[in-house]
Amino acid sequence: MAHTDQSIDTLVSISGTLASIGLALVAILVSKASIDHVEMIADDLFLFSSLGFLFVVVLGYLAQKQQGTSRSARLLIAAEWTFSASLATIVIGAIAMVYSTV
């Protein structure tokens, strides 16, 4: 995939939104009166994925600032891998939440 300014902007925008959603889920779980073991694991997964998405925002910003250099390309690749890992983590957390309600 060719990296463009638009792809970097999209990655940063989506990561910011998903970080906010993950932090909201953490806040909802923490506010519950009782939380079981599976919900605690899901809470941690949502927190780690949010941190990963925030890291993607930072990497995307740095990649934009160094546009056109080889370092920019490496930062963007790191941002894409971090985004993928964070997305997988939030999906695993969602599966754990569904499992805890069943």
Side-chain angles (χ1 to χ4, degrees):
M1 177 177 148
H3 300 297
T4 62
D5 287 341
Q6 186 178 5
S7 67
I8 296 171
D9 291 342
T10 302
L11 189 67
V12 168
S13 175
I14 291 171
S15 294
T17 302
L18 289 173
S20 300
I21 291 170
L23 291 174
L25 290 170
V26 169
I28 290 169
L29 285 173
V30 169
S31 68
K32 287 181 66 175
S34 65
I35 186 168
D36 65 7
H37 185 67
V38 175
E39 289 175 332
M40 189 181 313
I41 291 171
D43 180 56
D44 290 342
L45 289 171
F46 290 139
L47 181 62
F48 290 131
S49 68
S50 295
L51 291 173
F53 287 127
L54 290 173
F55 193 59
V56 169
V57 171
V58 171
L59 289 172
Y61 172 78
L62 292 174
Q64 284 179 332
K65 287 296 182 186
Q66 299 183 10
Q67 194 77 26
T69 65
S70 63
R71 187 171 183 183
S72 172
R74 287 188 305 231
L75 287 169
L76 193 54
I77 290 170
E80 289 172 343
W81 277 98
T82 305
F83 179 85
S84 297
S86 298
L87 191 60
T89 305
I90 206 166
V91 168
I92 293 168
I95 290 170
M97 283 300 297
V98 170
Y99 171 76
S100 72
T101 59
V102 173

